[in-house]
Amino acid sequence: MAEKFDNLEEHLEKFVENIRQLGIIVSDFQPSSQTGLNQKLNFMITGLQDIEKCRQQLHDINVPLEVFEYIDQGRNPQLYTKECLERALAKNEQVKGKIDTLTKFKSLLISELGKVFPEEMAKYKAIHGDDPPS
Amino acid sequence: MTEIFSSLYGQPDSQGPSGPSALGFGSGKPQVPQNMGPMCFPHQMVDEGGPIRKPSAMNEPFYLLRELPMENELTGHTNLITHYNLEHAYNKFCGKKVKEKLSNFLPELPGMIDSPGIQDNSSLRSLIEKPPVCNNSFSPLTGVMLTGFRLHTGPLPEQYRLMHIQPPKKKNKHKHKHHRPQDPLPPETPSDSDHKKKKKKKDDDPDRKKKKKDKKKKKNRHSPDHPGMTGAQPSGNSLR
């Protein structure tokens, strides 16, 4: 899988470098630069063809749209990954806290109900089995 | 207290509305008559969400006692980052400080990439929402088509000169120090002309001098990072 990305990355880097050189030629154009310009233009098209070929290998790759918002704002897309991980961890901790609290509440409720309604709680435990102490 | 509780929920033999009404609670919950067939459920008894117990089970000691749901092995009680082996990723992204700008992620990309894409209509969002209309294939330019790319000699007009200017990069300094062989060097003529142009532009605009001085001061303040060395890593992970 990494090879697919490496291949695309290589083509993109070559394409970007070609465009950069094209911009340099155009910025101060001379008549002798015409052949070089034509060559760069055709390199640009072959570069697009190469990138188009890479698309088939990556058709199963999904990119979340939120990443594009980061890029459009000029922000590092790794910040999106960082924030996803932080949000996931925070939610994980929140849910774990809820589970722990409800588990404690359940055991406390069962123990208190067992004191008040011992026979009924014995029947309940016979149906659902003994709950492990929290 | 237990006698009231038992009378409320009823023993298997005790039926009818005598329980709640005897206690003065009013109508209370509806009681299930014993003569009902196995498939006849009172409307109030049907619960659409959970599993429905059989009528014979209504005679069990607890009214509307449901079976416990199947326990999932994976719940929020587990550390999901450890479960999915994301510790390395977490330490990489959350343990260290991730730089804010896009140019820190793509240091080798030319142009002013830190500015918002909306300003110069180069946003990815606009590309997704309004994709350009084009043919399905790329065909090379013929000689006739290339005649359309004959340009006038001389430098660009001033209004277009700023478009190709790149922000000063740290890698240029590191190139001289570490002699990185990775960056492809442009042809000599364009690179020389580019350096000459940059020098000329430095002389022409005093404002740019001040900005570059400020940037140099900022660089001297911060610890010397090596974005050239880390350039390979983020670019390797950029598409993942």
Side-chain angles (χ1 to χ4, degrees):
Chain A
M1 186 169 176
E3 295 175 355
K4 300 188 285 189
F5 291 120
D6 292 339
N7 192 24
L8 176 64
E9 189 179 331
E10 187 184 340
H11 287 303
L12 285 170
E13 284 179 353
K14 285 180 184 175
F15 183 78
V16 167
E17 179 60 25
N18 185 55
I19 296 291
R20 192 183 72 86
Q21 294 176 12
L22 193 66
I24 291 167
I25 293 171
V26 168
S27 63
D28 191 6
F29 187 74
Q30 302 297 328
S32 56
S33 307
Q34 184 65 50
T35 51
L37 176 69
N38 294 344
Q39 190 184 26
K40 295 294 178 190
L41 288 169
N42 279 318
F43 279 161
M44 187 173 69
I45 292 167
T46 54
L48 288 170
Q49 287 173 339
D50 293 336
I51 293 167
E52 176 77 12
K53 287 174 191 173
C54 294
R55 194 180 73 164
Q56 296 169 1
Q57 297 175 350
L58 298 166
H59 65 276
D60 56 340
I61 302 297
N62 295 316
V63 180
L65 283 175
E66 289 84 2
V67 180
F68 294 150
E69 291 179 6
Y70 278 68
I71 295 170
D72 287 341
Q73 292 167 12
R75 298 178 68 197
N76 191 342
Q78 289 179 333
L79 290 171
Y80 171 77
T81 309
K82 178 185 173 184
E83 288 176 14
C84 272
L85 286 166
E86 288 174 345
R87 273 187 271 138
L89 187 66
K91 190 71 178 177
N92 197 172
E93 288 177 351
Q94 186 187 22
V95 173
K96 183 178 184 299
K98 286 182 181 176
I99 291 171
D100 288 340
T101 306
L102 287 170
T103 305
K104 287 178 186 174
F105 172 70
K106 182 185 176 185
S107 62
L108 189 63
L109 183 65
I110 285 172
S111 67
E112 292 298 322
L113 282 172
K115 292 174 188 174
V116 180
F117 306 116
E119 294 178 359
E120 283 76 14
M121 289 311 297
K123 288 176 187 173
Y124 175 82
K125 286 178 183 177
I127 294 168
H128 281 301
D130 278 329
D131 292 315
S134 64
Chain B
M1 184 65 179
T2 52
E3 292 174 355
I4 295 169
F5 182 82
S6 299
S7 65
L8 267 175
Y9 284 89
Q11 295 296 326
D13 295 331
S14 64
Q15 292 296 329
S18 59
S21 61
L23 294 168
F25 288 133
S27 59
K29 292 182 182 178
Q31 295 293 324
V32 181
Q34 283 295 307
N35 296 328
M36 288 176 67
M39 297 304 292
C40 296
F41 290 100
H43 178 71
Q44 292 84 353
M45 301 299 293
V46 174
D47 188 0
E48 297 175 355
I52 299 171
R53 298 190 64 179
K54 294 179 182 177
S56 59
M58 298 297 181
N59 296 327
E60 292 296 324
F62 302 111
Y63 182 72
L64 285 180
L65 181 65
R66 296 181 187 179
E67 295 177 0
L68 290 175
M70 296 296 292
E71 289 186 3
N72 290 328
E73 291 181 0
L74 188 63
T75 62
H77 196 267
T78 313
N79 187 342
L80 296 173
I81 287 177
T82 310
H83 178 82
Y84 287 107
N85 297 321
L86 292 172
E87 292 165 335
H88 178 70
Y90 182 81
N91 291 329
K92 179 184 170 185
F93 290 105
C94 301
K96 304 171 190 175
K97 186 178 178 183
V98 178
K99 293 184 180 178
E100 182 73 21
K101 292 184 180 178
L102 184 59
S103 57
N104 298 120
F105 180 67
L106 296 169
E108 298 180 357
L109 202 64
M112 307 288 286
I113 60 174
D114 292 333
S115 57
I118 298 171
Q119 289 180 358
D120 53 358
N121 200 22
S122 65
S123 65
L124 293 170
R125 173 68 70 173
S126 61
L127 194 64
I128 293 165
E129 290 173 355
K130 293 180 185 178
V133 179
C134 54
N135 295 330
N136 294 327
S137 62
F138 296 100
S139 54
L141 295 172
T142 61
V144 177
M145 290 179 187
L146 286 171
T147 56
F149 290 95
R150 287 181 184 170
L151 307 178
H152 293 289
T153 56
L156 282 174
E158 291 182 3
Q159 60 199 20
Y160 300 113
R161 281 184 191 173
L162 292 173
M163 289 175 71
H164 73 280
I165 289 175
Q166 303 171 21
K169 292 179 183 176
K170 292 179 183 178
K171 68 168 187 175
N172 292 327
K173 291 182 182 178
H174 291 290
K175 265 186 184 175
H176 295 296
K177 287 181 183 177
H178 297 285
H179 302 287
R180 289 175 64 238
Q182 294 178 2
D183 293 334
L185 292 174
E188 290 180 357
T189 315
S191 64
D192 291 338
S193 63
D194 191 20
H195 287 299
K196 286 178 187 175
K197 274 180 236 166
K198 285 184 179 177
K199 284 180 184 177
K200 283 182 185 176
K201 283 168 187 172
K202 282 180 187 177
D203 295 330
D204 292 334
D205 297 333
D207 292 334
R208 288 179 195 170
K209 281 185 187 176
K210 288 180 185 177
K211 286 181 185 176
K212 287 184 181 177
K213 281 181 185 176
D214 292 335
K215 284 179 184 176
K216 282 181 184 177
K217 284 179 185 176
K218 285 180 184 177
K219 284 175 196 174
N220 291 329
R221 285 176 194 167
H222 296 288
S223 60
D225 292 334
H226 297 275
M229 296 300 290
T230 59
Q233 291 179 6
S235 63
N237 293 328
S238 62
L239 296 176
R240 291 177 186 172

